[in-house]
C-alpha cells in the first residue's frame, strides 16, 4: 500500500502532487544555488513532511519540522518523522519553542498567507535563524485565481514579501516563480473532472517546468519564492 501511495504521489494529479512537481524544483534550485546544504534546517508549517524529507536527501544534517494542524501532523510523523535526522513538533509558528539563533536554514512553504499575525510569524522565523543564515519562503502571489477560505490574504507581491521580512534584518537574495496561469488553468480543469481528476497524469497538468524564470514570471504566476539572508 505504501508503494502505491508513493507512486500516486509521484505520477497522478492532486493539488499537492502538482506542488511537488512545480514548486519543489524551485525550492531545490534555490537551495543548491544559494544555501550551504549542512547544519539544521527548520521547516515551519511542514504539512505532510514531503519537502523536509527531500531536504534531508539533499544533505542537511538535521531537520526540525513544525506543524500545527492535527491531521497534517499525523501525516508529517508518518512521512518524515520516522527519519532519524528529523525532529517533529506540533506547535504554533507564532511561538516557536526553539532558542534564538538555533538553526542554519529556515524553510516555510505556503504558510504565511494562512496566518492573521504574519508579522509575528516572520519575526519568529527570523529569531531562530542564525546570523548569516538563509530563509527560503514560498507564498501565493496575487491575484488569487480561485477562492481560498483558509487564506487571511490572497498573497504577496515581491515587494510585500520583502517588506514583511526586512524589519528583522533579512536581505532579499533572489526571487523565483511557479504555478503559472497555464498550470493553474489545467489544475482547475482537472478539479471539475470525476474524483477531481485524480486519474490524470500530473505531467499533463504541468505547463511550466520547461520554462525559464523569466518566462514563468511573464505568465502570471500564482506562486512566489524568495530567498533571504539574515545579517551577520
Amino acid at each position: 500500500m505504501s508503494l502505491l501511495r508513493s507512486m500516486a504521489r509521484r505520477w497522478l494529479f492532486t493539488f499537492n502532487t502538482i506542488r511537488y512537481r512545480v514548486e519543489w524544483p524551485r525550492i531545490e534550485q534555490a537551495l543548491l544555488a544559494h544555501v550551504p546544504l549542512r547544519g539544521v534546517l527548520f521547516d515551519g508549517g511542514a504539512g505532510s513532511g514531503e519537502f523536509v524529507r527531500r531536504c534531508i536527501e539533499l544533505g542537511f544534517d538535521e531537520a526540525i519540522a513544525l506543524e500545527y494542524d492535527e491531521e497534517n501532523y499525523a501525516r508529517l510523523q508518518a512521512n518524515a518523522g520516522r527519519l532519524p535526522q528529523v525532529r517533529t513538533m506540533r506547535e504554533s509558528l507564532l511561538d516557536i519553542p526553539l532558542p534564538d539563533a538555533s538553526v542554519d536554514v529556515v524553510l516555510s512553504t505556503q504558510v504565511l498567507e494562512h496566518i492573521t499575525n504574519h508579522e509575528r510569524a516572520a519575526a519568529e522565523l527570523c529569531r531562530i535563524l542564525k546570523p548569516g543564515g538563509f530563509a527560503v519562503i514560498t507564498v501565493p502571489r496575487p491575484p488569487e485565481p480561485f477562492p481560498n477560505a483558509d487564506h487571511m490574504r490572497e498573497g504577496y507581491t515581491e515587494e510585500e514579501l520583502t517588506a514583511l521580512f526586512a524589519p528583522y534584518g533579512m536581505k532579499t537574495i533572489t526571487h523565483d516563480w511557479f504555478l503559472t496561469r497555464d498550470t493553474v488553468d489545467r489544475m482547475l480543469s482537472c478539479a471539475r473532472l470525476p474524483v477531481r481528476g485524480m486519474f490524470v497524469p500530473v505531467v499533463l497538468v504541468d505547463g511550466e517546468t520547461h520554462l525559464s524564470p523569466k518566462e514563468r514570471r511573464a505568465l502570471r504566476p500564482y506562486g512566489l519564492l524568495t530567498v533571504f539572508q539574515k545579517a551577520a
Side-chain angles (χ1 to χ4, degrees):
M1 185 63 70
S2 60
L3 177 60
L4 289 175
R5 282 198 297 268
S6 177
M7 292 177 63
R9 186 182 295 127
R10 183 173 181 182
W11 300 110
L12 298 180
F13 167 75
T14 67
F15 274 64
N16 278 333
T17 58
I18 190 62
R19 276 189 65 199
Y20 301 155
R21 183 173 176 88
V22 304
E23 183 175 357
W24 170 251
R26 308 282 67 81
I27 296 168
E28 181 179 36
Q29 185 177 39
L31 291 170
L32 291 173
H34 302 285
V35 178
L37 302 179
R38 60 178 184 270
V40 179
L41 175 134
F42 175 83
D43 189 349
S48 70
E50 183 66 20
F51 287 167
V52 77
R53 182 184 62 78
R54 296 185 186 199
C55 285
I56 287 294
E57 292 175 354
L58 285 181
F60 286 98
D61 302 308
E62 182 184 346
I64 302 170
L66 176 149
E67 175 57 45
Y68 183 76
D69 180 81
E70 183 176 6
E71 188 173 331
N72 281 340
Y73 185 69
R75 295 192 184 104
L76 169 63
Q77 288 183 301
N79 186 24
R82 58 185 172 78
L83 300 175
Q85 306 98 316
V86 177
R87 170 188 169 194
T88 65
M89 53 174 63
R90 187 174 175 232
E91 301 287 349
S92 170
L93 205 59
L94 300 177
D95 190 16
I96 302 172
L98 292 175
D100 295 356
S102 56
V103 304
D104 300 281
V105 178
V106 159
L107 174 70
S108 187
T109 60
Q110 307 289 325
V111 175
L112 291 173
E113 67 277 7
H114 295 273
I115 300 175
T116 301
N117 191 353
H118 61 167
E119 294 92 349
R120 173 65 180 269
E124 279 290 276
L125 289 171
C126 299
R127 177 186 66 79
I128 66 170
L129 185 61
K130 294 177 182 178
F134 293 86
V136 179
I137 308 295
T138 74
V139 291
R141 183 177 179 275
E144 204 164 48
F146 44 81
N148 280 285
D150 293 337
H151 287 189
M152 299 298 104
R153 58 198 61 81
E154 65 174 340
Y156 303 79
T157 64
E158 292 83 350
E159 295 78 14
E160 289 168 341
L161 191 60
T162 292
L164 179 62
F165 280 85
Y168 312 110
M170 302 294 281
K171 177 184 176 182
T172 298
I173 302 300
T174 191
H175 298 295
D176 203 347
W177 300 269
F178 57 95
L179 287 175
T180 63
R181 187 64 203 211
D182 187 24
T183 299
V184 170
D185 286 345
R186 296 181 193 188
M187 291 167 58
L188 295 177
S189 295
C190 284
R192 291 190 287 268
L193 296 172
V195 297
R196 296 179 62 82
M198 291 180 63
F199 54 85
V200 176
V202 69
V203 64
L204 299 181
V205 187
D206 173 8
E208 64 192 72
T209 295
H210 61 291
L211 301 177
S212 68
K214 183 177 180 180
E215 290 169 326
R216 290 193 301 273
R217 172 67 179 82
L219 293 175
R220 295 182 293 165
Y222 182 45
L224 169 66
L225 176 147
T226 302
V227 179
F228 298 97
Q229 186 173 22
K230 187 175 181 177

